[in-house]
Amino acid sequence: MYENNYPNDRTYQNTGYQDRNTYGQGGQQDSYSGSSTYQQGGTGSYQYGGAYANSYVQVEQKQVKKPKEKKGTGSYFKKAAAAVSLGLLFGLFAGLGLFLVESASGELFKNAETTAETTLETESEAAEETQSQIEQEALSLIQQSETVTAVVSDVTGVVEEVMPSIVAVNNHYTETTSFFGRSMSSEADASGSGIIVGQNDSELLIVTNYHVVEGTDQLTVQFVEDSEANAFIKGQDISMDLAVIAVPITEMSDTTLQQIKVATLGNSDELMVGEPAIAIGNSLGYGQSVTTGVISALDRTIDLSSSYGGDSVEGTFIQTDAAINPGNSGGALLNIKGEVIGINSNKIGGSAVEGMGYAIPISSASPIIAELMLRETKSKVAEEERGYLGITGISVTEEVSHDYGMPEGVYIAQVYENTAASAAGLKRGDIITELGGNRIASMEELQKELEYYAKGDTVEVKVMTMTVAGYEEINVTVTLGNKVSE
């Protein structure tokens, strides 16, 4: 045990030495003890102590008489001096060794401490960098989550931009019902939606569903600021359930023209299942409303015969869980950019399943819309100028069609001589199913369609005629006459 401080002066102190030797006949025992204290300077001291015991037995085979030693003080002092010298020497080397060990240990601990501090600093910096990366990734995920949430819950910007492009379409028409084979008519009103897709020098052009304007007696359009104007049929495509109607610019106020917009058409071929979808339309006829959802499925094939009657016709549609209610038909299905990606149709699929709405893909509809926009706008002709076919017809309703296996349409009961019908080769027993591209399901609908044609106009008529193999479809071109010539 020692303490080490480094002095300028040296003080040595040596006390307590004892030497005892005991000899016996059979052996010898020798022991001593000592302690020593010295200082180097005023601050360092070393202490050491030692106790040595040595015993041994010496046996001799032959006793040898030893001469007696003379007792004296010289031998004692010599031994004491030797012991003191040995003790001092031992203490010096012990102190030096401990000093070296302490110095080395101090450097070692210092280096270890420095290394530990460096390691801790490096690890701390690495931990801070890792923490920073984690925080950045978490912030990115939070921002992405906020973006997705905004897509689903906040579409105010999109709606504000697109709403001026959407209109409400009101159809006043004559409803025909059949009761025990007899037709009964009554006036009725229906509502739907439309999308402004173009404007020329004289007309504002709007696309909607065919079934929204089917059989119309009068069409009116309501714009974003609640003004109304009369509209007229420009073109229809029954198989795609599309129609383009036109509103004369002269019927619109300057305020309306300043507030409305032409919609931007997107690309439905680029849609992905799961992306957001927004539906805008005149739901239930209460005015424009907005519903949101996602694209549930693409290229969904549906048999349209149940929706439109007649022969089985299949169409491919976009499926969405955004609510498509009555009145939404003809309205817009939008992506998050506010582009029209589909034309909603409540009639497709019906209302049997909740959460499944359908829309006509805009990429499929665009070529048809472009062609319908180029047609001549049809407006009703004054009665004295109207063209006539020259037939007597009977409605083949859905009920009659089912009971007798006949195509739904107008059964020609009589063809008058010297009329447009007789000149075109129509005959008794033929069933008219379309006129001018529009489906005909009753005699009333045929008469309504003829109100848009003047005498001398040429129109395409689709007829189902009876053959040996059954009914066969033919197309006939008819140049309409007038009532007097019949």
Side-chain angles (χ1 to χ4, degrees):
M1 171 181 178
Y2 62 89
E3 296 177 359
N4 184 14
N5 295 303
Y6 295 92
N8 295 323
D9 299 324
R10 297 186 178 180
T11 300
Y12 296 88
Q13 182 178 4
N14 187 15
T15 60
Y17 284 89
Q18 295 179 359
D19 190 5
R20 182 178 58 188
N21 295 309
T22 303
Y23 299 91
Q25 183 179 0
Q28 175 180 312
Q29 183 175 2
D30 183 17
S31 67
Y32 68 90
S33 64
S35 64
S36 177
T37 301
Y38 68 91
Q39 290 184 332
Q40 288 183 335
T43 58
S45 63
Y46 294 85
Q47 292 182 351
Y48 70 91
Y52 299 89
N54 183 23
S55 63
Y56 61 89
V57 179
Q58 186 174 7
V59 181
E60 295 184 2
Q61 294 179 355
K62 185 176 180 180
Q63 294 287 339
V64 179
K65 189 176 181 180
K66 293 183 179 181
K68 293 182 179 178
E69 293 183 4
K70 294 182 179 181
K71 295 181 179 180
T73 57
S75 177
Y76 174 80
F77 285 112
K78 289 180 180 180
K79 291 181 179 180
V84 170
S85 299
L86 290 174
L88 290 174
L89 185 62
F90 176 79
L92 178 62
F93 280 107
L96 181 60
L98 292 174
F99 171 75
L100 294 175
V101 170
E102 182 180 359
S103 299
S105 300
E107 290 296 327
L108 179 61
F109 291 145
K110 184 177 180 180
N111 292 337
E113 183 179 359
T114 303
T115 303
E117 290 178 355
T118 303
T119 303
L120 288 174
E121 289 178 359
T122 303
E123 292 178 351
S124 178
E125 291 176 357
E128 290 178 358
E129 183 176 354
T130 303
Q131 180 68 21
S132 178
Q133 292 177 352
I134 293 173
E135 290 175 355
Q136 290 178 358
E137 291 176 359
L139 180 60
S140 177
L141 290 174
I142 291 172
Q143 290 174 345
Q144 292 177 9
S145 176
E146 289 177 350
T147 301
V148 173
T149 302
V151 167
V152 175
S153 62
D154 186 1
V155 295
T156 54
V158 175
V159 172
E160 184 178 4
E161 182 68 23
V162 178
M163 191 69 81
S165 304
I166 311 300
V167 301
V169 179
N170 300 306
N171 180 11
H172 183 76
Y173 65 101
T174 301
E175 185 177 24
T176 302
T177 57
S178 178
F179 185 72
F180 291 106
R182 299 184 62 182
S183 297
M184 300 180 64
S185 300
S186 60
E187 293 186 353
D189 293 285
S191 61
S193 306
I195 308 167
I196 300 175
V197 291
Q199 180 178 341
N200 55 34
D201 294 337
S202 60
E203 299 171 321
L204 186 71
L205 304 177
I206 299 167
V207 65
T208 186
N209 288 137
Y210 164 75
H211 75 263
V212 170
V213 299
E214 182 181 12
T216 184
D217 293 326
Q218 183 181 12
L219 282 178
T220 58
V221 170
Q222 186 176 31
F223 298 99
V224 63
E225 89 300 2
D226 294 333
S227 66
E228 293 186 358
N230 291 321
F232 304 93
I233 301 292
K234 195 169 186 69
Q236 302 172 107
D237 188 301
I238 299 173
S239 62
M240 284 292 291
D241 191 28
L242 291 173
V244 172
I245 60 178
V247 177
I249 298 294
T250 54
E251 293 197 13
M252 302 170 64
S253 67
D254 292 339
T255 302
T256 301
L257 290 171
Q258 290 173 0
Q259 294 193 32
I260 62 174
K261 293 182 180 180
V262 175
T264 301
L265 304 185
N267 185 354
S268 58
D269 292 337
E270 296 178 351
L271 291 176
M272 297 181 65
V273 172
E275 72 172 90
I278 306 165
I280 303 180
N282 181 26
S283 181
L284 302 178
Y286 296 151
Q288 303 295 9
S289 63
V290 180
T291 57
T292 61
V294 298
I295 301 299
S296 303
L298 299 170
D299 302 325
R300 188 69 82 197
T301 301
I302 298 176
D303 187 349
L304 300 179
S305 58
S306 59
S307 300
Y308 302 114
D311 297 334
S312 178
V313 177
E314 287 188 347
T316 303
F317 303 94
I318 300 168
Q319 181 182 325
T320 179
D321 65 345
I324 308 296
N325 298 304
N328 281 114
S329 291
L333 185 67
L334 309 169
N335 60 19
I336 197 60
K337 298 177 183 178
E339 299 170 337
V340 178
I341 54 174
I343 301 172
N344 299 323
S345 179
N346 176 68
K347 198 168 185 178
I348 300 172
S351 58
V353 180
E354 184 178 354
M356 294 175 65
Y358 297 92
I360 303 167
I362 197 64
S363 295
S364 301
S366 291
I368 298 172
I369 295 171
E371 191 273 327
L372 296 178
M373 289 170 65
L374 297 176
R375 292 188 184 180
E376 183 180 355
T377 302
K378 294 190 299 181
S379 56
K380 289 186 178 181
V381 178
E383 186 173 359
E384 61 273 14
E385 297 294 329
R386 291 176 186 170
Y388 292 88
L389 274 175
I391 66 168
T392 299
I394 301 173
S395 299
V396 181
T397 63
E398 183 178 356
E399 181 183 356
V400 174
S401 175
H402 180 269
D403 291 342
Y404 296 97
M406 301 170 63
E408 190 174 346
V410 173
Y411 177 87
I412 298 178
Q414 182 180 358
V415 176
Y416 296 101
E417 295 181 357
N418 302 320
T419 61
S422 62
L426 297 179
K427 60 184 185 295
R428 185 177 184 273
D430 290 343
I431 298 175
I432 299 173
T433 58
E434 286 187 18
L435 188 143
N438 297 320
R439 184 171 66 91
I440 302 298
S442 66
M443 188 64 184
E444 289 78 9
E445 290 184 4
L446 178 60
Q447 290 171 340
K448 287 180 181 178
E449 285 298 320
L450 288 172
E451 290 176 357
Y452 293 98
Y453 295 92
K455 55 185 177 181
D457 289 347
T458 299
V459 62
E460 294 291 326
V461 180
K462 184 177 290 186
V463 177
M464 301 295 290
T465 186
M466 178 61 74
T467 65
V468 177
Y471 282 99
E472 179 181 343
E473 183 180 278
I474 60 174
N475 291 315
V476 178
T477 301
V478 179
T479 301
L480 297 175
N482 55 50
K483 191 174 183 178
V484 176
S485 63
E486 291 179 353

